[in-house]
Amino acid sequence: MCFVFLLLTSGRVLRGWHQGGVNWTSLPDISKWLEQAGSQHVKSLQLISAFLVISIGLFALFSIESKGKCFQMVRLSFLISGLLVLLHITKYQDYTFSSTNYGATLLVQIIYAILGVATIGTVVALPWVIPFSTSKICPTDNTISPLFLSIHEKFPLVELRDSLYVIGWAYVLCWCLLQLLLQQPINTTPILLLLLQILAGTLYFARSGTHHKEWVEIAAFYYLGMAGHFALGNTNTIATIDVAGAFIGISSHSTLLSGILMFIITYASPMFILLSLVMYISMKNMAHLVIPEKAGPGDHLMMMLGFSCLVPLVINSILLTAYTVVLLLMQNHLFVWSVFSPKYLYVCATAVCTYIGVFIVAATGFYAYFVLVMRKQKPYSC
C-alpha cells in the first residue's frame, strides 16, 4: 500500500510540475512558483534532489553483499561520478544555465568518461566474474519455489537475475547522473520523483507475484515514462526542446554529439523507464511461466525478456501507425503540416527511443545469459 501511495503522490507532483500544452502555459505550476520565489530556492531544491538521487543509487549498490573486486570497482566508479556531479552542480551550475568555461567542460568530460567506462564495464565484465551460488543479490520477497529450483538445475537463473539486478542499477544510476548534468536545474526534482516511481513500481510488482498480468505491468511502466516526458517540461512543439543543455561538456562544435545530448535530454523519461526494465526483470519471479521438463534455452529467454521487449514495441507501433494513418488522410488539410507535423516528429522520435531501449534490454539479457550458460558448461577462471 505504501508503494501505491508513493506512486500516486509522486505522479501528482509530476503532473503539476510543468503545465504542458499551449492552452495551459499561463496557468501556475510548481516550476513557475519556484522561479518566482528566487534562484536560491531552486538551487537548494536542486542540491537536495541530486543528493537524494545519488544516495539512493549508491545505497542500492553498496547494499549488495558481494565483496568481489568487480563489485568494488563498480561502487567506487559510481561514487566518484556522483561526487563529481555534485561538485559540478555546486561550482558551475547556476539557476539559468551551466557554465561553459574550460573547467566546467573538462569536469563534465571526465564524468562522461567515468560513467561510460563504469556502465559498459559492468555490463561486459559482470557476467564473467559473478560467482555461482544459491544466494540471491536482488531483493525480492518471492520465495524460491521447487519449480524455480528445477529450472535452475538446467540454467543459471539465480546468477542471471543477480547479474541483471546489478547491471540494471548501473543503467539507472548512470542515466540519473547524466540527467543531473544535462537537465535544467528546475528539473532535478522530477528526476528524483521518476526514480522513486520506478523503485516503488518495481518493488510493488515484485511483491505482487502473479496477481497482475506481466504485460499490464510493463504497459504501466511505459505509461509512467510517457507521463514523465511531459513532466520534464516537454510538449508537442519543437520550441520546448532544451538546446542549451545539448552543448554541456562539448569543447568544440559537433552536430552529432549535440544531437545525441539533445535526444538524451528530451527523451530522458521514456528511456529511463526502458533501462529500468533490466532491473524489473531481475526482481520479477517468472519461473511459473516455464514447464521445467520442456524448458529450453529459447523458452528461458522468452520467459525473462518476452513481455519486457514486446509490450513497448507493440504500444509504440500502434501509436505510430495511428498517427501515420491520420497524417495521410488529412494531408491536404490546412493545419496538418504546421500544427500536427511537430507532434508526428515527436512520435517518430519516440519510436527510435523505444527501439534503442528495447535493444539495450534484449542485448543485455542475451549477453548475460549466454555468458553464464557458457561458464556453467565450462567453468571460467577469472
Side-chain angles (χ1 to χ4, degrees):
M1 193 64 185
C2 295
F3 297 134
V4 176
F5 177 77
L6 181 59
L7 276 169
L8 295 177
T9 304
S10 57
R12 188 63 188 89
V13 175
L14 284 172
R15 184 179 178 183
W17 199 266
H18 287 286
Q19 292 289 350
V22 178
N23 297 327
W24 294 276
T25 54
S26 59
L27 297 179
D29 54 31
I30 299 176
S31 63
K32 291 187 178 68
W33 289 340
L34 290 173
E35 291 171 0
Q36 295 172 0
S39 60
Q40 292 299 324
H41 293 81
V42 177
K43 188 70 173 182
S44 301
L45 191 59
Q46 180 190 15
L47 287 173
I48 294 173
S49 300
F51 178 77
L52 290 176
V53 169
I54 296 172
S55 299
I56 292 172
L58 292 178
F59 175 78
L61 291 178
F62 278 90
S63 63
I64 298 174
E65 297 180 358
S66 178
K67 299 181 180 179
K69 293 182 179 179
C70 181
F71 290 97
Q72 298 292 351
M73 290 297 297
V74 172
R75 294 163 182 157
L76 181 61
S77 299
F78 283 106
L79 175 60
I80 294 175
S81 300
L83 294 177
L84 291 178
V85 169
L86 288 177
L87 175 63
H88 182 269
I89 292 175
T90 55
K91 189 175 182 180
Y92 296 110
Q93 280 191 357
D94 59 19
Y95 166 57
T96 54
F97 61 91
S98 298
S99 177
T100 56
N101 61 42
Y102 177 76
T105 301
L106 180 61
L107 180 59
V108 173
Q109 290 175 350
I110 293 174
I111 296 173
Y112 287 162
I114 296 176
L115 285 178
V117 172
T119 306
I120 297 175
T122 302
V123 175
V124 174
L126 188 64
W128 290 101
V129 300
I130 190 169
F132 284 99
S133 63
T134 57
S135 61
K136 295 190 296 178
I137 291 176
C138 52
T140 173
D141 289 347
N142 295 334
T143 57
I144 303 180
S145 62
L147 176 59
F148 186 93
L149 293 175
S150 178
I151 297 176
H152 180 62
E153 291 177 358
K154 291 185 177 183
F155 310 109
L157 188 56
V158 173
E159 290 76 17
L160 178 61
R161 287 158 62 97
D162 291 348
S163 299
L164 293 180
Y165 177 75
V166 179
I167 293 173
W169 265 113
Y171 283 153
V172 167
L173 188 53
C174 175
W175 195 254
C176 286
L177 294 177
L178 279 178
Q179 298 307 320
L180 294 179
L181 280 177
L182 300 176
Q183 292 285 345
Q184 294 290 334
I186 198 68
N187 283 338
T188 306
T189 301
I191 296 298
L192 171 63
L193 295 176
L194 286 172
L195 177 61
L196 293 178
Q197 281 191 325
I198 290 173
L199 295 181
T202 303
L203 291 174
Y204 174 73
F205 291 141
R207 294 188 177 189
S208 65
T210 59
H211 294 164
H212 302 94
K213 298 290 186 180
E214 188 185 351
W215 69 269
V216 176
E217 298 175 356
I218 303 298
F221 273 119
Y222 190 83
Y223 169 77
L224 289 179
M226 298 309 300
H229 174 73
F230 296 101
L232 290 173
N234 298 297
T235 63
N236 291 326
T237 60
I238 301 179
T240 55
I241 295 178
D242 184 10
V243 180
F247 297 93
I248 297 177
I250 299 179
S251 55
S252 60
H253 177 71
S254 174
T255 304
L256 177 61
L257 294 179
S258 297
I260 293 174
L261 291 179
M262 193 181 303
F263 183 84
I264 291 174
I265 296 171
T266 305
Y267 287 92
S269 179
M271 185 63 73
F272 196 4
I273 293 295
L274 292 172
L275 293 177
S276 68
L277 291 179
V278 177
M279 184 171 59
Y280 164 84
I281 292 171
S282 69
M283 298 177 64
K284 185 68 175 178
N285 190 351
M286 293 170 283
H288 62 280
L289 299 177
V290 174
I291 302 175
E293 294 78 9
K294 300 180 180 179
D299 298 327
H300 184 253
L301 285 178
M302 182 62 68
M303 177 189 71
M304 299 291 290
L305 301 174
F307 283 110
S308 299
C309 295
L310 290 178
V311 172
L313 291 176
V314 170
I315 295 176
N316 183 262
S317 298
I318 293 174
L319 294 176
L320 183 60
T321 302
Y323 280 109
T324 303
V325 171
V326 171
L327 187 65
L328 291 175
L329 293 177
M330 304 293 292
Q331 58 182 320
N332 295 323
H333 196 278
L334 180 62
F335 294 104
V336 164
W337 300 108
S338 60
V339 178
F340 185 76
S341 57
K343 170 63 177 177
Y344 186 74
L345 292 177
Y346 271 102
V347 173
C348 294
T350 303
V352 175
C353 174
T354 304
Y355 296 152
I356 295 174
V358 169
F359 173 78
I360 293 175
V361 174
T364 302
F366 271 89
Y367 173 77
Y369 177 80
F370 284 114
V371 169
L372 290 170
V373 168
M374 185 170 58
R375 284 182 59 200
K376 195 164 189 177
Q377 293 175 352
K378 183 179 180 180
Y380 177 82
S381 58
C382 48

